[in-house]
Amino acid sequence: MKDGRSAARDGAEKFLVCAAQKLKDALYPEGITCDLCGAELVADTRYTLCADCLAHMPFAGGHRCLVCGVPISDEADYCLRCQATESVFLRNVSPLIYEGRAKELVYALKFGKKKYIARLLGAMMSDAYIGSGAEAEIAVPVPMSASELKKRGFNQSALLADEAGGRLHMPVLPALVKVRETMPQKELSGKARAENVKGCFAAAYGDYVKGRKILLVDDVFTTGATANECARALLKAKARSVTVLTAAVAVPQNRVEPGSVGRAD
């Protein structure tokens, strides 16, 4: 028979579990309105978007770069960004192009604190991953520093990894840590982004990472600088390979025709 202290502890645990579920329900409301514009959903859809937002959502399709996944207009295998940049990860998979309504979704998640949008983006990301033919065993979110996490209150990459990983029946492991502060990447471009994040990530859970195919999860693929540094840390820990999964991929600003620069291998 349990003593009074054990019973009280069990009661407290049940209360916390119930409170956590209520909090989750509040953060992730049932899909009765469009996650983007708030319009009422008049029919069941795979994604919690109204017909108008879905029709204008910039999904990534057509002929795409074999590394970053951005659409390209000719028959080249690589976009200009990836022709001129060495990538240590295998490839990036994204369901969306980072513009228009897709950009609004990511902003609402990151800066509007609408955490429930991670459910929508996670569904899109898992569908894109399945359709890509990529292979991975463990999902790893891109980490934030302690101060960044305190300022924002949550790590959007961790939310996306949980959502996508759950749909893919893939374990999620916080196998990376950010070991130093960096400037916001959105304030930098090109080479400055790479220098900003150089050496700022380290691998944890080395025994679990070793020999595994890793799925690195982030919100946006812009220049690949963050993905490269995270991949380097994971490969240093003897990961077998690293594939990147993001909600959206940004189109390079310099729209030079692909094929004019030799890709770095």
Side-chain angles (χ1 to χ4, degrees):
M1 181 178 295
K2 293 184 178 180
D3 58 25
R5 185 174 298 177
S6 296
R9 183 171 60 250
D10 290 346
E13 289 176 353
K14 290 179 180 179
F15 172 79
L16 290 174
V17 170
C18 182
Q21 184 60 49
K22 289 181 178 179
L23 176 60
K24 183 177 180 180
D25 291 341
L27 293 175
Y28 297 94
E30 293 297 323
I32 59 175
T33 60
C34 176
D35 281 353
L36 186 55
C37 73
E40 184 179 356
L41 298 178
V42 296
D44 290 335
T45 59
R46 181 163 183 78
Y47 304 131
T48 46
L49 293 170
C50 68
D52 184 65
C53 285
L54 188 60
H56 291 88
M57 191 60 57
F59 286 98
H63 182 59
R64 287 175 279 176
C65 175
L66 295 180
V67 176
C68 74
V70 73
I72 48 182
S73 59
D74 63 13
E75 297 304 313
D77 289 331
Y78 307 100
C79 69
L80 253 292
R81 171 176 55 201
C82 294
Q83 289 177 28
T85 305
E86 181 180 5
S87 300
V88 297
F89 55 88
L90 294 179
R91 59 184 291 203
N92 170 66
V93 176
S94 301
L96 301 170
I97 303 301
Y98 190 56
E99 60 188 24
R101 300 197 188 191
K103 194 171 186 178
E104 291 177 33
L105 272 178
V106 174
Y107 264 66
L109 170 62
K110 292 177 67 173
F111 307 114
K113 299 186 183 299
K114 295 181 178 180
K115 298 181 184 179
Y116 58 85
I117 288 177
R119 175 175 290 179
L120 166 62
L121 292 176
M124 291 179 173
M125 292 164 71
S126 61
D127 287 350
Y129 172 83
I130 292 170
S132 72
E135 296 182 357
E137 301 166 88
I138 299 174
V140 176
V142 171
M144 300 174 75
S145 68
S147 63
E148 289 170 337
L149 188 58
K150 183 178 180 180
K151 182 178 180 180
R152 180 164 294 168
F154 63 94
N155 180 355
Q156 72 278 357
S157 298
L159 295 180
L160 294 172
D162 287 342
E163 291 294 340
R167 287 172 171 79
L168 296 170
H169 305 290
M170 187 182 298
V172 180
L173 185 69
L176 286 169
V177 293
K178 194 171 184 180
V179 296
R180 67 173 176 81
E181 300 293 336
T182 58
M183 292 179 62
Q185 288 285 79
K186 65 179 182 179
E187 298 178 2
L188 305 172
S189 62
K191 188 179 295 185
R193 284 178 177 250
E195 289 297 322
N196 186 45
V197 296
K198 188 174 182 179
C200 76
F201 300 107
Y205 299 97
D207 290 342
Y208 293 93
V209 168
K210 186 177 180 179
R212 301 282 189 171
K213 297 178 180 179
I214 303 299
L215 185 66
L216 179 69
V217 181
D218 204 0
D219 54 353
V220 179
F221 186 103
T222 306
T223 64
T226 297
N228 259 333
E229 283 304 309
C230 287
R232 284 192 179 94
L234 291 166
L235 293 172
K236 186 176 180 180
K238 306 300 182 183
R240 183 175 175 183
S241 64
V242 178
T243 298
V244 184
L245 177 64
T246 56
V249 57
V251 176
Q253 293 182 353
N254 55 325
R255 300 306 299 272
V256 183
E257 283 301 307
S260 61
V261 180
R263 181 173 181 266
D265 292 319

